[in-house]
């Protein structure tokens, strides 16, 4: 499919009444911009959007801070671990009647921390030594790993948004060209009908109906142009470009998925690779680690802290199971929609082929006098309508394939 571009101008639309000639419908000359036109491929547009994304920059900054925090937590944990060793050693010295001045001073420090008698309180040990040495560093590690997952997820989100807008702009451009071609054909058809009306071969009702359809098509054309302007402005904002920057997008055409895909294979890919599921598993691992460490120091399984940790672990596992179910349902909806777009694409392609054959046949019959120009114009308009449907099907197919890639971590690539 060749690249096509649309120059947007404003149509002066007049209400068609009576026998007003078609020459009454004027068009304004499109404004000329002095800015250099930027030609963008899909990949170049995605790169611009990714570089410009504030969300991605914030995640990168947060990841750097988390990396420093992890290093600090490790150092703090090592220090707390050393303090725990000191605490146990000096406690033994206390009971052995230590009298070395340095040891006595150290013992006084621990007495200030834990009272006059160095009784081994498991909760105190857990809170003051175990959490900073074994629990907290792992929690920071999990946070860091989560940010490492968030970054490619954010890039994927920007890529998806860019592609959807890119496809949307191209679809509008293609549709506008086809609509303009249809209006040119309709203009010829109305002129032919005006001639036949003047000699009584076409009724006034038929002529006015065709004029009304033409007016509606002009209004729809203008609406499509305005919608395209809005989408282009949003797209430029996503890429960090000035609203006045003229763009030309390279048309990738129909991006067919060559290998057949099944719902089961899409689910397997998503369950294996999706970042949100990985983060859910990290959350579970974090609590499992905490429960394991806690059980070594807080021996009573019925203690409030043990029960609370066990409940949080169950909640985390349930959250992951619910997320998996949501992903399966999301993929099922996307898969069904994709199969529908596949069918629509095939049907619309066949309609174009049939309309082309019918037009060829009608032109042959016109030469032999079996049909009139009006009949040919009608088939030409039918062909334009079929092409519009095909353009829409291509757009929907590409969008839906990309949507599946988004929710399955690029299973179709």
């Amino acid at each position: 499919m060749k690249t096509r571009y649309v120059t947007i101008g404003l149509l002066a639309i007049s209400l068609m009444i009576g026998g007003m000639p078609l020459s009454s419908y004027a068009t304004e000359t499109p404004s000329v911009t002095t800015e250099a036109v930027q030609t963008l491929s899909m990949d170049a547009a995605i790169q611009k959007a990714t570089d410009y994304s504030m969300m991605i920059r914030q995640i990168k900054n947060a990841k750097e801070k988390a990396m420093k925090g992890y290093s600090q937590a490790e150092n703090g944990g090592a220090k707390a671990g050393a303090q725990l060793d000191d605490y146990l050693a000096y406690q033994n010295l206390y009971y052995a009647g230590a009298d070395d001045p340095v040891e006595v001073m150290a013992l006084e420090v621990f007495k200030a921390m834990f009272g006059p008698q160095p009784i081994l309180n498991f909760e105190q040990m857990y809170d003051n030594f175990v959490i900073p040495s074994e629990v907290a560093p792992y929690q920071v590690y999990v946070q860091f790993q989560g940010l490492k997952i968030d970054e490619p997820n954010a890039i994927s989100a920007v890529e998806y948004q860019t592609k959807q807008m890119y496809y949307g702009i191209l679809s509008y451009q293609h549709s506008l060209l086809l609509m303009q071609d249809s209006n040119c054909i309709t203009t010829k058809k109305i002129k032919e009908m005006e001639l036949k009306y003047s000699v009584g071969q076409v009724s006034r009702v038929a002529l006015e109906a065709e004029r009304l359809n033409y007016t509606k098509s002009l209004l729809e054309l203008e609406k499509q142009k305005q919608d395209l302007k809005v989408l282009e402005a949003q797209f430029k904002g996503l890429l960090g470009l000035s609203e006045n920057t003229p763009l030309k997008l390279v048309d990738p055409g129909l991006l067919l998925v060559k290998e057949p895909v099944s719902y089961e294979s899409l689910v397997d890919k998503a369950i294996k690779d999706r970042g949100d599921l990985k983060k859910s598993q990290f959350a579970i691992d974090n609590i499992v680690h905490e429960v394991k460490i806690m059980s070594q120091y807080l021996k009573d399984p019925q203690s409030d802290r043990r029960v609370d940790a066990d409940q949080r672990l169950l909640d985390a596992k349930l959250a992951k199971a619910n997320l998996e179910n949501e992903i399966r349902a999301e993929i099922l909806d996307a898969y069904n929609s994709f199969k529908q777009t596949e069918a629509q694409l095939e049907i619309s392609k066949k309609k174009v082929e049939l309309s082309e054959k019918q037009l060829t046949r009608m032109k042959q019959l016109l030469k032999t006098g079996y049909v009139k120009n009006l009949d040919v114009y009608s088939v030409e308009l039918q062909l334009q309508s079929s092409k519009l449907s095909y353009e829409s099907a291509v757009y929907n197919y590409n969008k839906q394939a990309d949507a599946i890639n988004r929710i399955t971590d690029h299973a179709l690539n």
Side-chain angles (χ1 to χ4, degrees):
M1 189 180 295
K2 296 182 179 179
T3 305
R4 291 174 287 180
Y5 308 109
V6 176
T7 302
I8 301 176
L10 294 176
L11 286 172
I13 303 176
S14 302
L15 181 62
M16 298 184 181
I17 56 173
M20 186 181 292
L22 289 170
S23 59
S24 300
Y25 304 103
T27 59
E28 293 182 7
T29 303
S31 59
V32 179
T33 179
T34 57
E35 289 193 47
V37 176
Q38 285 205 28
T39 301
L40 289 177
S41 65
M42 178 79 80
D43 289 341
I46 291 171
Q47 188 61 56
K48 276 186 173 293
T50 302
D51 292 341
Y52 186 69
S53 171
M54 177 64 72
M55 175 177 62
I56 294 174
R57 289 196 295 256
Q58 288 174 339
I59 290 176
K60 287 182 177 179
N61 292 336
K63 192 174 71 171
E64 291 178 4
K65 290 180 181 178
M67 189 179 298
K68 293 178 182 178
Y70 178 54
S71 177
Q72 292 171 354
E74 278 191 317
N75 293 335
K79 186 176 180 180
Q83 285 182 329
L84 176 58
D85 291 338
D86 290 343
Y87 172 78
L88 295 174
Y90 284 124
Q91 178 178 247
N92 292 333
L93 288 171
Y94 177 89
Y95 286 120
D99 56 4
D100 181 271
V102 175
E103 293 176 349
V104 170
M105 289 178 63
L107 287 171
E108 291 301 320
V109 172
F110 281 100
K111 284 181 183 181
M113 291 174 62
F114 300 105
Q117 297 296 322
I119 300 172
L120 192 63
N121 182 303
F122 287 108
E123 289 216 8
Q124 285 180 321
M125 288 186 61
Y126 184 76
D127 290 336
N128 289 276
F129 301 115
V130 178
I131 287 179
S133 65
E134 298 189 54
V135 178
Y138 192 83
Q139 290 175 338
V140 178
Y141 165 78
V142 167
Q143 292 172 358
F144 175 66
Q145 293 300 323
L147 287 168
K148 285 179 66 176
I149 292 171
D150 288 340
E151 184 177 3
N153 283 352
I155 292 172
S156 177
V158 171
E159 176 183 339
Y160 176 73
Q161 187 178 10
T162 304
K163 283 185 175 182
Q164 297 293 294
M165 288 189 176
Y166 195 102
Y167 291 140
I169 290 172
L170 288 175
S171 179
Y172 271 117
Q173 290 176 343
H174 294 175
S175 296
L176 284 169
L177 284 174
L178 289 170
M179 291 171 70
Q180 288 169 341
D181 289 345
S182 295
N183 285 342
C184 290
I185 296 169
T186 303
T187 299
K188 296 177 184 177
K189 184 177 181 181
I190 292 176
K191 286 182 177 179
E192 184 76 14
M193 292 181 72
E194 287 175 343
L195 290 175
K196 290 189 175 295
Y197 171 70
S198 66
V199 296
Q201 295 180 354
V202 169
S203 70
R204 183 176 181 83
V205 172
L207 177 58
E208 294 302 333
E210 198 63 42
R211 285 173 174 163
L212 178 60
N213 289 334
Y214 182 66
T215 301
K216 289 179 179 179
S217 67
L218 291 177
L219 290 169
E220 178 60 26
L221 182 66
E222 184 62 21
K223 180 182 179 300
Q224 295 265 355
K225 287 183 177 182
Q226 296 305 318
D227 290 345
L228 174 58
K229 284 183 179 180
V230 172
L231 184 58
E232 285 180 327
Q234 294 173 343
F235 184 70
K236 291 172 186 176
L238 182 67
L239 272 56
L241 299 174
S242 166
E243 190 173 339
N244 297 323
T245 303
L247 288 180
K248 289 184 178 180
L249 304 184
V250 179
D251 187 357
L254 176 62
L255 304 176
L256 278 174
V257 178
K258 297 179 181 179
E259 298 295 329
V261 294
S262 67
Y263 166 71
E264 291 76 15
S265 65
L266 295 176
V267 169
D268 290 343
K269 179 71 167 61
I271 297 298
K272 176 176 175 287
D273 294 332
R274 269 187 58 150
D276 48 1
L277 281 174
K278 290 180 180 179
K279 287 185 70 173
S280 290
Q281 186 58 52
F282 272 129
I284 292 172
D285 293 343
N286 181 36
I287 303 174
V288 167
H289 176 77
E290 182 183 353
V291 168
K292 179 181 177 182
I293 299 299
M294 185 184 293
S295 63
Q296 297 175 20
Y297 295 91
L298 307 180
K299 300 298 184 179
D300 181 7
Q302 302 303 317
S303 69
D304 291 344
R305 298 179 73 164
R306 290 279 299 273
V307 171
D308 175 70
D310 290 340
Q311 183 60 54
R312 285 189 286 115
L313 180 58
L314 289 175
D315 290 343
K317 289 180 177 179
L318 179 60
K320 185 184 178 186
N322 288 338
L323 179 58
E324 286 187 3
N325 289 334
E326 290 172 5
I327 288 172
R328 292 175 191 276
E330 186 180 12
I331 293 174
L332 181 59
D333 288 343
Y335 180 74
N336 289 336
S337 296
F338 177 70
K339 300 305 288 185
Q340 288 176 358
T341 60
E342 271 190 326
Q344 290 167 355
L345 182 66
E346 186 63 26
I347 291 171
S348 61
K349 181 181 177 182
K350 288 181 179 179
K351 283 185 177 180
V352 171
E353 294 171 352
L354 289 173
S355 295
E356 287 174 340
K357 290 179 181 178
Q358 187 177 4
L359 180 59
T360 300
R361 181 172 175 274
M362 291 296 286
K363 287 182 176 179
Q364 292 172 346
L365 292 175
L366 178 65
K367 292 178 181 179
T368 59
Y370 282 99
V371 298
K372 306 297 182 183
N373 282 329
L374 286 178
D375 300 315
V376 176
Y377 293 146
S378 295
V379 177
E380 285 179 337
L381 289 172
Q382 180 180 323
L383 174 59
Q384 293 300 108
S385 177
S386 298
K387 288 180 176 179
L388 272 171
S389 296
Y390 178 73
E391 290 290 348
S392 178
V394 169
Y395 168 61
N396 290 331
Y397 180 91
N398 285 349
K399 278 189 64 177
Q400 199 57 47
D402 195 54
I404 287 182
N405 272 332
R406 169 90 171 109
I407 62 178
T408 60
D409 197 37
H410 298 86
L412 301 183
N413 285 0

